[in-house]
Amino acid sequence: EAGVVQSPRYKIIEKKQPVAFWCNPISGHNTLYWYLQNLGQGPELLIRYENEEAVDDSQLPKDRFSAERLKGVDSTLKIQPAELGDSAVYLCASSLGTGAGSGANVLTFGAGSRLTVL
Amino acid sequence: SQKIEQNSEALNIQEGKTATLTCNYTNYSPAYLQWYRQDPGRGPVFLLLIRENEKEKRKERLKVTFDTTLKQSLFHITASQPADSATYLCASWGNSGYALNFGKGTSLLVT
């Protein structure tokens, strides 16, 4: 099994430029998550998908961030325009379900995409 | 608001000793707590999960406890090795069950 695949691993752009990150989750995992991780901090949820539906995007800065999960498999996270404060690692994760009702559901993460905005 | 807190200070221990990491939660009562390991430049990797009524769970050299009275979980690595050096993250699902919330993590260095 390939695990969660993310690309690119590293991206350096100038501020105000657009950037996109791609994620391919584990086959059969219906739930997909995008997390943001700043240096020295834990991951923070940006958006969660159940199949192709975004069911929790309350933490996504919608003025510049957008995401999609067409056909309920791969997902893309876009930032346009990027700001200096967007420099961080963007993690994608997937799971069979959510924690609703049990809390036993675990996430499988990709290696992350490290963004540097100059 | 629901919070998970970990000691953000790095923990340095000698090889062979037992490392103990702390996770505290406030303003909610999770039914499960999860522990993940994160190496530099990599995503978190799931290690252990413990239910509120399990009190203690073991996996090889790892042990996790769950004290609902203290609202705390302890993560132990016995006979620690340099390869155990990493950041360890505590996590739990919020009351809604739709987002896995993480603590800041504790960096462990074994020398």
Side-chain angles (χ1 to χ4, degrees):
Chain A
E1 194 170 280
V4 177
V5 180
Q6 290 189 246
S7 68
R9 287 295 315 279
Y10 305 93
K11 189 74 176 179
I12 301 174
I13 61 173
E14 294 189 346
K15 63 181 181 181
K16 298 186 181 179
Q17 295 299 306
V19 64
F21 305 112
W22 175 81
C23 173
N24 181 247
I26 290 177
S27 177
H29 280 192
N30 298 325
T31 309
L32 183 146
Y33 313 78
W34 283 101
Y35 280 84
L36 166 72
Q37 187 172 30
N38 288 304
L39 188 64
Q41 303 294 315
E44 299 173 23
L45 182 70
L46 287 173
I47 188 169
R48 175 176 65 91
Y49 281 92
E50 296 289 339
N51 299 304
E52 67 274 10
E53 182 182 359
V55 293
D56 185 356
D57 63 354
S58 58
Q59 302 304 312
L60 191 72
K62 298 181 183 63
D63 57 335
R64 298 182 300 107
F65 286 64
S66 64
E68 60 182 11
R69 191 184 184 196
L70 300 177
K71 301 181 180 179
V73 181
D74 296 2
S75 178
T76 302
L77 177 69
K78 298 178 181 178
I79 308 175
Q80 183 172 7
E83 296 180 352
L84 294 176
D86 296 331
S87 295
V89 175
Y90 293 84
L91 293 164
C92 179
S94 68
S95 66
L96 281 173
T98 66
S102 72
N105 210 22
V106 301
L107 270 58
T108 302
F109 283 86
S113 294
R114 178 177 296 277
L115 173 66
T116 301
V117 182
L118 303 176
Chain B
S1 62
Q2 300 170 7
K3 290 184 179 179
I4 293 184
E5 296 175 319
Q6 296 182 256
N7 187 348
S8 58
E9 292 183 11
L11 179 62
N12 296 334
I13 66 167
Q14 285 185 326
E15 183 175 359
K17 301 292 186 181
T18 296
T20 299
L21 286 65
T22 303
C23 173
N24 296 291
Y25 57 91
T26 55
N27 297 327
Y28 75 121
S29 298
Y32 294 82
L33 284 170
Q34 303 183 17
W35 285 87
Y36 290 73
R37 168 180 172 146
Q38 186 172 25
D39 291 286
R42 311 300 297 177
V45 174
F46 171 74
L47 294 176
L48 277 171
L49 177 150
I50 185 168
R51 286 186 297 185
E52 60 181 341
N53 62 356
E54 286 188 313
K55 303 306 179 189
E56 177 181 303
K57 196 161 187 179
R58 294 174 183 264
K59 178 183 177 182
E60 298 174 348
R61 295 183 296 110
L62 308 180
K63 185 179 81 170
V64 175
T65 63
F66 195 165
D67 189 326
T68 55
T69 300
L70 294 178
K71 293 185 178 291
Q72 182 179 86
S73 175
L74 298 179
F75 179 85
H76 306 272
I77 305 176
T78 58
S80 58
Q81 306 167 0
D84 296 325
S85 299
T87 295
Y88 292 86
L89 298 159
C90 176
S92 77
W93 291 90
N95 283 342
S96 68
Y98 293 125
L100 188 64
N101 301 315
F102 288 84
K104 291 184 177 181
T106 299
S107 176
L108 173 66
L109 180 62
V110 182
T111 56

